[in-house]
Amino acid sequence: MRTRFKRLTLLVFAFAVSFAVNAVAYELHNGPTGVLYYEKDKCFNGYTLFTPTENNKVTYLIDMEGNIVHTWEVKGAEGSSFHSRLLPNGNLLLLRNVKDEDANAQIGGWAGILDEVDWDGNVVWSYRMADKDHISHHTFDRMPNGNTLILGWERISNDKMVAKGRDPKTVPTEPVMIKGKPHTDFWVDFVREVDKNGKTVWEWHLIDHVGKGQDQLDPNYVVPKKVGAGYDNYDWSHFNTVEFVPGKDGNDKVLVNSRNFSEALLIDKKTGKIEWRWGNPSSHGKGQGPTWYDDQSQIIFGSHHAAMIGENMMSIFDNGSERAEPNRSRVLEVDMTTGKIVWEYAANDGNSFFSYRQGAAQKLPNGNYFVTSTQHGHLFEVTRDKKVVWEFISPIMEGKNTPIMLDAEHVLRTPKGVPVTHMYQNMIHRAYRYAPDYPGLMGKDLSPKGYIVTDGKKWFEMNKK
């Protein structure tokens, strides 16, 4: 094995020399991990937080050169970690999986436990949402008042969905297998706000906003069956974003995003009404859906991570999967008053940037974007003039560290050994970049404690500017 890695390293080294000279998009089966490119004077220099999602319990904080400055590992955690954020108080807010047998809905993104973890890895607050009728998933948001918004799925019976307008002919008569687990009911999104004591103080349920029209989601709008198991039935809405949006005079909103509808939605927190939606007019009768070769009026496809970036401005990660026109991912800035895209980034070649599922984009204080291209553990920073100035491939493959990412060995596989489309063992759901003066980092030991890639080369030094 060591000999083979040496040979691969030499091969990749030769390729990297060519890449350093030509700086072109490329297609590659086996390539290096770690920090690959770094232009210090054009970056928002700080610290990168990421949590590998596959068979992993460690969260990493690295500097711009890929040196580990801190790690967190929850002692006695029962499942893998999924997604984390660093709080201003220096604690980590960490979403992780319950044991498989405790997850009644094992739809992509399921979790079950949200922990607040101090700098030393001690759990100081925890909230569990994993019972026979509910499970938390994807993400969360800590509000200014200290409460926490949590995204969840709730079990809705077939009969109730039909009563809400679902065509009974499209309701399964047999269990639907999703990730190896039989599902017999719909799992519909809802948002729960809990206080520091874990008490529920507010909820919003999508099932109360099902129907026809601008402010409701059509129960019969579905993506094609072949897109994924359950997508056309029990995994109907599939939200992946929740963000508290403070408003004037207490007129607060909540921003969510639906992968299946390919739409961002803005909810009035007082009334619960869907006040604004964007991304796919064909989902509610306002435009024509895609044809075989033409996207038509649908703007985004399989979207993730909608985020407010100023008054009436939103960023969103457009996965671009299953679109009629060629697949490619994009980062978009949208003027919410006009619905117009005012800035976007997509690679010149889809092979350089495409996340089939998941993904995120964080707007940085200098105007750059820090992008998570989930499926290949690919993180990068891109400037306003669309130049990539920092690039990283995670070496953490299902908890193991490797200097070379191998297409054949590091693809995710089902329990039967079948490769999972576009998904690799180093997936990262969402990563964040923090400034050196971020309050949560003040007074912390951020000295380098070793390069993130064990026995790996620092490829960025070949391209250092």
Side-chain angles (χ1 to χ4, degrees), residues 25-61:
Y26 64 96
E27 182 176 69
L28 190 67
H29 285 91
N30 307 308
T33 61
V35 179
L36 306 183
Y37 192 82
Y38 178 28
E39 291 192 47
K40 185 175 182 179
D41 62 338
K42 295 181 180 179
C43 286
F44 179 76
N45 293 284
Y47 298 92
T48 296
L49 180 78
F50 72 98
T51 301
T53 65
E54 302 303 313
N55 194 26
N56 169 74
K57 297 181 181 181
V58 181
T59 294
Y60 298 85
L61 188 67

Side-chain angles (χ1 to χ4, degrees), residues 53-323:
T53 65
E54 302 303 313
N55 194 26
N56 169 74
K57 297 181 181 181
V58 181
T59 294
Y60 298 85
L61 188 67
I62 62 173
D63 64 19
M64 296 298 291
E65 295 190 352
N67 298 303
I68 298 172
V69 300
H70 194 68
T71 61
W72 293 261
E73 184 171 5
V74 177
K75 303 172 180 66
E78 59 189 70
S80 293
S81 298
F82 186 73
H83 163 44
S84 62
R85 295 188 73 168
L86 188 62
L87 299 174
N89 64 4
N91 291 345
L92 190 75
L93 205 51
L94 173 68
L95 189 66
R96 57 187 181 87
N97 301 121
V98 293
K99 293 180 291 187
D100 285 3
E101 55 266 32
D102 292 338
N104 284 288
Q106 288 192 11
I107 299 166
W110 66 272
I113 299 175
L114 182 62
D115 286 334
E116 185 173 340
V117 184
D118 70 14
W119 193 256
D120 298 317
N122 302 301
V123 177
V124 297
W125 181 86
S126 186
Y127 186 83
R128 185 183 181 97
M129 186 196 298
D131 57 40
K132 67 181 183 67
D133 295 322
H134 308 86
I135 190 163
S136 62
H137 65 92
H138 281 94
T139 194
F140 50 84
D141 192 26
R142 177 60 58 85
M143 300 166 63
N145 65 0
N147 291 354
T148 307
L149 290 179
I150 303 172
L151 194 57
W153 281 310
E154 60 179 332
R155 186 195 299 269
I156 300 295
S157 71
N158 294 341
D159 288 343
K160 185 169 183 178
M161 279 299 292
V162 170
K164 286 287 185 176
R166 178 80 180 204
D167 182 349
K169 296 192 294 294
T170 66
V171 176
T173 57
E174 300 289 337
V176 174
M177 299 300 293
I178 305 176
K179 296 187 178 297
K181 187 180 183 70
H183 293 70
T184 57
D185 299 281
F186 286 82
W187 289 86
V188 179
D189 287 282
F190 76 104
V191 180
R192 176 178 292 171
E193 179 185 346
V194 299
D195 64 17
K196 62 181 181 180
N197 297 314
K199 179 183 177 182
T200 299
V201 296
W202 178 84
E203 285 187 340
W204 180 88
H205 297 263
L206 175 57
I207 194 64
D208 297 329
H209 303 272
V210 171
K212 300 281 189 179
Q214 181 77 15
D215 60 351
Q216 296 180 308
L217 266 62
D218 186 347
N220 294 303
Y221 180 84
V222 296
V223 292
K225 183 175 183 179
K226 288 189 176 181
V227 173
Y231 283 37
D232 61 326
N233 44 64
Y234 293 146
D235 183 14
W236 164 65
S237 51
H238 200 102
F239 287 6
N240 51 48
T241 294
V242 63
E243 180 181 328
F244 175 72
V245 184
K248 297 177 181 178
D249 301 321
N251 188 27
D252 300 330
K253 315 291 182 185
V254 175
L255 181 67
V256 296
N257 177 77
S258 170
R259 179 198 67 188
N260 289 11
F261 278 73
S262 296
E263 288 186 296
L265 313 170
L266 194 63
I267 300 163
D268 185 287
K269 196 168 184 287
K270 285 183 178 179
T271 66
K273 183 178 180 180
I274 298 172
E275 288 194 337
W276 178 88
R277 64 197 297 176
W278 182 89
N280 182 14
S282 68
S283 73
H284 49 285
K286 298 292 185 179
Q288 183 176 344
T291 61
W292 182 253
Y293 292 108
D294 193 332
D295 291 348
Q296 296 290 349
S297 62
Q298 186 166 338
I299 305 166
I300 56 177
F301 291 77
S303 52
H304 284 74
H305 192 210
M308 299 299 297
I309 54 172
E311 188 173 0
N312 296 319
M313 293 294 294
M314 176 190 75
S315 64
I316 194 165
F317 188 95
D318 172 21
N319 292 74
S321 54
E322 286 94 22
R323 64 192 291 257

Side-chain angles (χ1 to χ4, degrees), residues 33-38 45-50 60-71 379 390-396 401 433 446-461 464:
T33 61
V35 179
L36 306 183
Y37 192 82
Y38 178 28
N45 293 284
Y47 298 92
T48 296
L49 180 78
F50 72 98
Y60 298 85
L61 188 67
I62 62 173
D63 64 19
M64 296 298 291
E65 295 190 352
N67 298 303
I68 298 172
V69 300
H70 194 68
T71 61
L379 310 178
W390 187 87
E391 194 154 23
F392 171 84
I393 299 293
S394 173
I396 311 301
N401 198 303
R433 174 74 53 78
L446 300 175
S447 60
K449 300 170 182 65
Y451 189 52
I452 183 68
V453 186
T454 304
D455 298 327
K457 292 182 177 295
K458 296 185 177 181
W459 299 100
F460 70 91
E461 291 183 341
K464 200 169 185 179

